[in-house]
Structures are given as structure tokens and as C-alpha cells.
Amino acid sequence: MSQDKHEPDEACGPQSDPTGDDAVIGVALRRSLFVIGVAIVIGLAVSLWRGQTRKPESVTEQALTRPAATVQAPQPPEIPFTDITAAAGIRFHHDNGAAGERLLPETMGGGVAFFPLDEDERPDLLFVNSTAWPWSDTDGRVATPALYHNLGDGRFEDVTAGSGIDQPLYGMGVATGDYDGDGRTDLFLTAVGHNRLLRNVDGARFEDVTAAAGVAGAADSWSTSAAFLDYDRDGDLDLFVTNYVQWSRELDFEVDYRLAGIGRAYGPPTNFPGSDAYLYRNEGDGRFTEVGASTGIHVRNPDTGLPVGKGLAVLVDDIDLDGWPDLVVANDTVRNFFFRNLGGHFEEQGVAAGLAFDNTGSATGAMGIDGGLYGEDGEYGVAIGNFANEMTSFFVDGGRSLLFNDEAIVTGIGPASRSVLTFGLFLFDADLDGRLDLLQANGHVEDEINRVQPSQHHAQSAQLFWNCGAACAREFVPLPASATGDLSRPLVGRGAAYADIDSDGDQDVVLTQTGGPPLLLRNDQARGHAWLRVRLVGRPPNTQAIGARVRLEAAGRAQERQVSPARSYLSQTELALTFGIGAAELAERLEVTFPDGSVQVLENIQPGQELVVTQAQGAVAPGS
């Protein structure tokens, strides 16, 4: 119990006499005043003496001059994109099956792929579709993926009917690759439920070989992004498939997520269990074997033993430059994974490498992903699109040391990306100046979000971050809507991919949205920069040389790209690599390292062309 502050504290001993204390205090006070007075007199005397003996200082007046001029950062350019969706003949409309029940898969949208359907090597288009739920009233509506053939004159022809892909499924993403080594691009479609492997038969139609290949996955799985890669370097393409959460209609209603003022709403994945990815090893005879557990890509909670992953996107790249393809998986609301390939088996090192969490040490609502050498000094960046009110993560490794740091704010990406919800994103050289820019597709998951968060909207504009390079305080500059044309048109953005659809050297863009039409955008930049496109032809069975690395040297600068169409969110980009070389009149050196390690070098290459490099017969890796 505390004592009253006005009561004497008897525990402190006997009380002293007040009268005696006052006398002592009086004597001490008089002594102190005397000492202070003496000190003041001495101080005044010293000041007078110094003032009489010190010589006055001379002052030389100088004219004011302007500070030395600093190098002005270049003005951000205009990089306009033009909507050519209708003019190109694209009539696709995504069907998410929404019928008022607000089920989580309805928010996720569908992917898109640029790929060569036939031997003309022009980038054709595949749109992944969802469909009506089996328990809903469909009114006879049947939705399927859509296939469009590039006619080469700016128009696309719908060739879905009779192509073999015209079969309904609740589709999510797509992977492209020649898994059987016959020179034609095959398709793998992910879905809520069984996935599909479609073999390209003759450049015009596809055969469903899912059952024979053994890649359907579990009937109750929810697969999202996928990628073909040669993880064991045996020459043929294997298949990696990210899985999202364990979901069912019944579980969705049990979670029963609600928003004040709205009622039942689309909930986050936090209340759904995680799942393991699939890794299918290609046996070389048309069959695959699932080897996820034995190769180290199953990550479990040490306390519960349950799967941790809630994967939405995957980046395939040889990040440590040891010749073996590594994997970075963007996980929604749990830590991201970095599967380092240690010679055909993987070790998850996301936390140690700095890729698991954002710059606050938090797991994010990670959606799309891409990576590449973006800096003039060889910096490697991994971009991951995140949920609203979370910045896009931009993990940077300055020396390929496997020590990443989220530098979203430092590089200029963070502030402008916080206010949007980003799904698909990718790095590409939008203006052909030799530096990778960043484009991201945005859109909220809740169609009535503006009622509860006035700063948020369901449809949101895509963003283009121009890479200014070392001349700017921050490398990436968000371009205003006035500089990007129809790219700024609000939509419920999901998948995103790029390709040069009109053979003018720059890369055009397609964006998808959930429950709506896509947006096909022609890149109309006119900065006058030179360019070189490189397409590789590998030896069978990896005829498209997926996993090859290309290094280009021009005008004293080096750029590097890897052939890997799997990037962004649920989507695939074109196989050809585009190098912008600015004002350079010649590319001095092109070095191609094929997946088997063999190297081919070309020198003094004229820009303004698509260069086809065919892997030489009998070429072997250096030192082998």
C-alpha cells in the first residue's frame, strides 16, 4: 500500500530541528554569493584585457558564384501503348463462374500465353478460361480456353473450335514447352481440380494426354502457375506446378469471410490450409513421375507437419550461376520459397537468401513474380507483386552472392505500388534503351471494396516503371498515365505477358482480367533505339533451348537474359529474347550458353533483326 505524500516517513529515522537547518542554509547561501561575485569581477577584467590586445580581423569580400552545375537526370519518356484488342479480332471474355456465392477461386482470374502454335514462329495467343460451377444454373453456358492464331498483319484468328483445347475446366494458368522433343510447343493447363497436358499434334490441334502422362494431379487440388524446365539436366523438359490452398465450396462457407457493410465477401487465404507443389520428372517416353517429396520441394510446418506453401507464381532461373535451374515461388500470406538446385535435388533457402519476407520482415500477399539483371553494375532483382497496402517487393542481390535485400523503396518502386493490388508483373525493355523496365497488372479481389475502403477500387490501372539507370537517384520512375496511353485504362488485372506481335522490334503486351475481356496493347514507343532479337533452336529433346543463357555486349555494356517463358502470374511470355541497345550501331559479341553447358559465340552483329541461333551438332561444354 502506498503512503500519503503529505505524511512524514517514520522509517527514515528521527526528524531534525527546523530552526537549526535554516541557520545552516543561511550561512551557505552568503558564502556562495561571495564566490559568484568574485568570479564575475575576474571575468570582466579578462574580457577588457583581451579586447585591448587582440588585433582586428581583416575581412575580404568576394563575389557570390553559382554552385557547380550537377548532371540533370533524364526526363522520363513517353512509352505509349495502344489498345488493339478489337482491331486484332480478339473476342475472348473470361468467365469466372461467379453466381453470388463469393467463392475464393472467382477472384483469381486466368493466365495468358504467347507461344508459337505452328512453324511460322509468330507468337500466337492462348487465353485460359474458367467456367460455371457444376452446382450453378449455367443456362447452357459453356466456357473454354481460347486459341488465337497470329495472321502476321496485326490480326488474330480464333481457331479454338476443333483445336482440342475447347474443353471446359475451371482453368487457372498455363505452361508452354516442347516436352516430347518433336519441335512443337505443347500446353499444360492448371485448374481447380484436375490439370490438363495437351500435346501439339500438327501445329493446329492438340491431343489430351493427361492420363497417359500421369500429370492430372489430385481431384481436389488447386493448381496455379506452372513451368517447364530441365531440373535434372538430362536433356528433356520436366514440369513444376505450384499449388495454392486446400479449398472446397464447403470449406469456403465454413470460413464465411465477411466485410462490414457488405456481408459475405471474398476472403483471404489465411484461413485455408496450405499445399505442396508438384514436380514431375520427364521419363522420356511420354510419362512423368511426381518426385516433389524426394527432391526437396515439399516444405512442412515443423510444429504441425502440414504443408506451408500457398503458391501463386514461380520464377525459374539459374540464380547462383552453377548451371542448375533454381526456383523462386511467390506464396500468398506465407513466406516465399527459394529452392536452390544442388544438382537435381533442392534445398529451400528463402530465409537465408533474404527472399522470404519483405523489408519489414513480414510475409506478404504475394501474387506474380519475375527476375533479371536490371542494373548497370550487374544487380539482379526479383520483383513480386503484393496485396493492396503492401508495396511490390523488389529483392536485390548486387553480386550474385545469394544475399538479397528488399529495396522496393530505394529503387523507387515501393511508394507508387503501395496503393494498388498487383497480380501479373514482368521485367522487359519497354523502350529498347538496354535497361529492364517493370510493368505490373493491378486489380482488387473484392468487387465492392470501394464501399469499405474509399481509396481502393476493383478496377485499377496498370503501371509502368521506367528504368532510368544510374543517372537517377532511384532507378525506377513510375510513368504517369499521360505517358503510357491505353495501358493506364482501369481493369481488374490478373495475367500479363509480352511478345513482339508485329515484328517491329519492341515488345507488345497482353493483360487479362477476371470476369472480363483482355487488353491487347501495341507498344508504340518511338525513341529510335536499336534492337536485336534472339531466338534459339536447341538439340532434341529440348528443341526450344529452355534454360539457355544469352549474354550480349554492345556499346561497352553487357546484358544477360535466360530463355524461360514462365514468369508473371499464371502466364507465359514469348521464347525469343529482345535486347535493346540504344544508340549502338553494332552488337560486338553475343554469347549463348545452352542448357547442356555448350557455348557458341557470334561477333559484330547488325541490329534490327531477329537472329536465329541453332545449337551446333557435336558442341560440348568447355572442359568436358
Side-chain angles (χ1 to χ4, degrees):
M1 178 181 292
S2 62
Q3 296 174 318
D4 187 277
K5 64 180 180 180
H6 299 293
E7 294 180 355
D9 188 355
E10 297 179 357
C12 295
Q15 303 296 304
S16 52
D17 177 32
T19 304
D21 290 345
D22 289 345
V24 172
I25 293 171
V27 173
L29 179 61
R30 287 192 294 272
R31 289 177 178 175
S32 298
L33 291 173
F34 175 77
V35 172
I36 293 171
V38 172
I40 292 173
V41 172
I42 293 173
L44 289 172
V46 171
S47 297
L48 289 173
W49 176 77
R50 285 182 175 177
Q52 293 173 350
T53 59
R54 192 171 68 179
K55 295 180 180 179
E57 298 178 357
S58 61
V59 177
T60 303
E61 295 186 0
Q62 294 181 347
L64 294 176
T65 59
R66 293 179 179 271
T70 58
V71 178
Q72 294 294 320
Q75 288 296 314
E78 290 190 358
I79 309 178
F81 287 82
T82 302
D83 178 7
I84 59 169
T85 313
I90 305 297
R91 303 288 185 266
F92 174 76
H93 191 284
H94 181 262
D95 184 351
N96 65 356
E101 293 187 333
R102 295 184 176 271
L103 303 174
L104 183 57
E106 297 166 3
T107 68
M108 306 308 286
V112 60
F114 281 115
F115 77 105
L117 172 63
D118 51 21
E119 296 179 355
D120 65 16
E121 294 299 334
R122 289 192 294 263
D124 303 299
L125 265 171
L126 172 81
F127 293 100
V128 181
N129 210 350
S130 301
T131 191
W133 296 110
W135 51 81
S136 64
D137 183 6
T138 65
D139 296 324
R141 183 178 82 249
V142 177
T144 73
L147 181 62
Y148 285 87
H149 183 233
N150 189 338
L151 298 177
D153 59 359
R155 295 179 301 120
F156 287 78
E157 178 186 5
D158 187 343
V159 294
T160 307
S163 67
I165 71 164
D166 49 345
Q167 48 180 302
L169 78 165
Y170 202 95
M172 286 280 130
V174 55
T176 62
D178 180 14
Y179 83 90
D180 56 0
D182 66 353
R184 301 186 183 95
T185 304
D186 309 301
L187 303 174
F188 181 79
L189 304 182
T190 65
V192 178
H194 284 142
N195 302 317
R196 307 282 172 83
L197 178 62
L198 304 175
R199 178 176 173 267
N200 190 330
V201 177
D202 54 10
R205 60 187 179 89
F206 293 86
E207 175 188 5
D208 188 338
V209 295
T210 311
V215 293
D220 60 353
S221 65
W222 179 355
S223 299
T224 49
S225 294
F228 283 104
L229 74 159
D230 184 6
Y231 86 91
D232 53 4
R233 297 188 64 184
D234 65 353
D236 54 27
L237 293 180
D238 311 297
L239 178 63
F240 181 85
V241 184
T242 57
N243 285 318
Y244 192 32
V245 295
Q246 297 178 38
W247 177 88
S248 68
R249 182 190 185 207
E250 293 73 24
L251 182 57
D252 207 318
F253 278 110
E254 287 179 16
V255 170
D256 198 24
Y257 182 77
R258 293 179 177 271
L259 285 174
I262 293 179
R264 179 166 168 80
Y266 291 112
T270 49
N271 295 318
F272 296 87
S275 59
D276 290 318
Y278 298 138
L279 179 60
Y280 294 102
R281 184 182 65 225
N282 191 335
E283 301 296 351
D285 58 359
R287 296 179 300 112
F288 290 79
T289 301
E290 207 286 307
V291 294
S294 61
T295 54
I297 67 161
H298 289 181
V299 181
R300 299 301 173 91
N301 185 312
D303 296 325
T304 65
L306 298 176
V308 173
K310 298 181 180 182
L312 283 179
V314 58
L315 167 67
V316 182
D317 201 348
D318 180 12
I319 293 177
D320 57 4
L321 299 178
D322 66 352
W324 296 83
D326 307 302
L327 303 166
V328 185
V329 177
N331 282 316
D332 192 359
T333 70
V334 297
R335 74 178 194 263
N336 302 315
F337 296 152
F338 168 45
F339 292 111
R340 188 179 181 188
N341 192 334
L342 300 177
H345 68 280
F346 296 87
E347 184 176 283
E348 204 286 293
Q349 300 181 359
V351 174
L355 289 164
F357 305 108
D358 70 0
N359 54 20
T360 68
S362 303
T364 60
M367 311 291 182
I369 190 170
D370 198 8
L373 289 172
Y374 76 94
E376 296 181 9
D377 294 324
E379 297 92 342
Y380 185 90
V382 175
I384 296 180
N386 292 318
F387 204 78
N389 302 312
E390 297 175 338
M391 293 180 290
T392 293
S393 299
F394 195 72
F395 299 99
V396 175
D397 181 350
R400 302 300 281 263
S401 59
L402 298 186
L403 293 174
F404 286 85
N405 185 51
D406 186 359
E407 298 185 2
I409 296 176
V410 176
T411 56
I413 295 170
S417 63
R418 185 190 294 275
S419 61
V420 295
L421 198 167
T422 300
F423 277 85
L425 56 68
F426 50 74
L427 293 160
F428 76 137
D429 189 355
D431 61 344
L432 303 176
D433 65 352
R435 294 185 292 266
L436 291 178
D437 311 299
L438 175 67
L439 185 147
Q440 52 185 44
N442 305 316
H444 211 281
V445 297
E446 176 56 56
D447 54 0
E448 297 189 75
I449 190 62
N450 187 247
R451 291 176 53 186
V452 294
Q453 293 186 35
S455 64
Q456 289 293 319
H457 298 273
H458 192 211
Q460 301 176 354
S461 297
Q463 293 171 301
L464 180 60
F465 292 85
W466 177 62
N467 188 339
C468 182
C472 294
R474 291 183 171 87
E475 286 99 332
F476 290 94
V477 179
L479 296 185
S482 59
T484 60
D486 293 330
L487 180 67
S488 63
R489 181 178 301 172
L491 73 162
V492 189
R494 294 297 185 262
Y498 60 79
D500 180 11
I501 63 174
D502 50 7
S503 302
D504 65 351
D506 54 31
Q507 290 163 310
D508 311 294
V509 169
V510 63
L511 308 176
T512 71
Q513 57 180 336
T514 183
L519 191 62
L520 182 62
L521 297 161
R522 186 183 64 226
N523 186 340
D524 285 335
Q525 65 85 28
R527 302 197 68 199
H529 291 151
W531 52 271
L532 179 69
R533 286 171 53 80
V534 180
R535 181 166 58 85
L536 304 183
V537 178
R539 291 199 303 268
N542 187 0
T543 61
Q544 297 168 331
I546 289 179
R549 186 169 297 278
V550 180
R551 176 183 175 88
L552 179 74
E553 297 176 9
R557 292 179 54 192
Q559 301 176 58
E560 206 169 285
R561 307 270 196 278
Q562 178 164 309
V563 179
S564 180
R567 55 191 73 236
S568 185
Y569 168 75
L570 306 177
S571 300
Q572 306 276 291
T573 61
E574 66 175 345
L575 284 164
L577 304 176
T578 295
F579 294 90
I581 55 177
E585 297 180 357
L586 197 70
E588 291 92 358
R589 191 173 191 273
L590 181 77
E591 179 179 292
V592 179
T593 303
F594 284 93
D596 62 1
S598 61
V599 177
Q600 291 175 217
V601 176
L602 292 84
E603 296 181 335
N604 299 326
I605 306 161
Q606 292 292 332
Q609 63 171 312
E610 178 171 295
L611 184 67
V612 179
V613 181
T614 301
Q615 186 174 10
Q617 294 297 322
V620 295
S624 63

